[in-house]
Amino acid sequence: MAFLDQEEVRKILNLKGSDLIQPVIAERQLEVIRKGFNFLYQPENNAIYIADEVGLGKTYIALGIASLMRHFSSN
């Protein structure tokens, strides 16, 4: 599988579920999700650390990456 671009990720994930999340933060989260998934989908990589300030969406990022992994999983 080739690397995912932002448009492909947008088709699968919707981060606009609440007005509480500022659009600039949602875009940043989407980009980190894309990069994290692309990194972890390579066979030689099996771990990633997500570190950021409190309240910037580390949980949403982890859930987004896990959702993409499940979406593209064969089992």
Side-chain angles (χ1 to χ4, degrees):
M1 180 179 113
F3 289 114
L4 291 179
D5 63 24
Q6 267 199 335
E7 290 309 311
E8 290 175 284
V9 174
R10 270 185 223 289
K11 291 177 187 175
I12 300 165
L13 299 177
N14 175 11
L15 297 182
K16 307 278 196 239
S18 171
D19 290 335
L20 298 174
I21 300 173
Q22 297 174 7
V24 68
I25 292 177
E27 284 301 310
R28 183 172 175 272
Q29 290 170 345
L30 190 71
E31 181 61 13
V32 173
I33 289 168
R34 185 188 69 79
K35 287 181 179 181
F37 171 79
N38 285 337
F39 177 81
L40 288 175
Y41 210 72
Q42 299 174 57
E44 65 272 11
N45 300 326
N46 63 6
I48 189 170
Y49 291 96
I50 302 169
D52 213 336
E53 296 291 325
V54 173
L56 291 181
K58 292 177 294 295
T59 303
Y60 287 125
I61 291 167
L63 289 170
I65 293 169
S67 296
L68 290 176
M69 294 298 271
R70 180 151 193 229
H71 180 81
F72 289 104
S73 175
S74 61
N75 53 12

